[in-house]
Amino acid sequence: PPFFLLPLFLFLLLSVPPMFMLRIQSSSFTFFTILVSITGFTMGGPSNLISSVMAAEVGKMNAAKGNPASLSTLSGIVDGMGGIGAALCVYVATFFPHTSEVFIMLTILVFLSAILF
C-alpha cells in the first residue's frame, strides 16, 4: 500500500471522537474552542495530504513533466470534489431537526471514509 494511507487512516480515526463530542451541550468557550481546533486539525490533515500526494504522483508521470498547469488542475479537481461533498453534507444536514444529529451523521461519514481507505 502507498505510504500516505496510514497517516490518512489515523488522522480520520483520530477525528471521530472530538467530532462526536461536538454534540455535547456546553457553555464553556474554551472547551468548544479546543474541540473544534482538534477536529479541524485532524480533518484538515487528510484533506491537504490527499491533494498534495495526488499532485506529487501526477508530477512523477512523464506526461506531466515540465507542465505545472497539470499539477494545479489536478489539485483543483481534488479540492473541488471535496467542496461538492461538503456542499452535499450541508444540504443533507438541513433535514435534521437537532444539531446533535448532524454531528452524529458527520461522525459516521468520517468513520466510513476511514474504513473505506
Side-chain angles (χ1 to χ4, degrees):
F3 66 93
F4 59 87
L5 287 182
L6 182 62
L8 255 146
F9 178 73
L10 291 176
F11 267 82
L12 287 173
L13 282 184
L14 287 174
S15 68
V16 169
M19 187 177 296
F20 189 73
M21 289 175 62
L22 283 171
R23 59 189 289 271
I24 297 172
Q25 298 294 327
S26 174
S27 60
S28 171
F29 181 75
T30 306
F31 172 76
F32 186 71
T33 303
I34 291 171
L35 210 54
V36 168
S37 298
I38 292 170
T39 305
F41 176 76
T42 55
M43 287 299 298
S47 173
N48 294 332
L49 189 60
I50 288 171
S51 59
S52 301
V53 168
M54 291 297 290
E57 291 294 321
V58 168
K60 293 179 185 176
M61 296 170 53
N62 289 334
K65 296 276 187 198
N67 188 2
S70 63
L71 300 179
S72 60
T73 300
L74 180 69
S75 293
I77 290 171
V78 170
D79 288 339
M81 289 296 151
I84 290 171
L88 286 174
C89 193
V90 169
Y91 177 72
V92 171
T94 61
F95 294 108
F96 293 108
H98 304 290
T99 55
S100 64
E101 295 170 354
V102 173
F103 290 116
I104 292 171
M105 176 197 69
L106 291 174
T107 303
I108 291 170
L109 290 175
V110 168
F111 182 73
L112 287 176
S113 67
I115 297 301
L116 291 176
F117 265 112

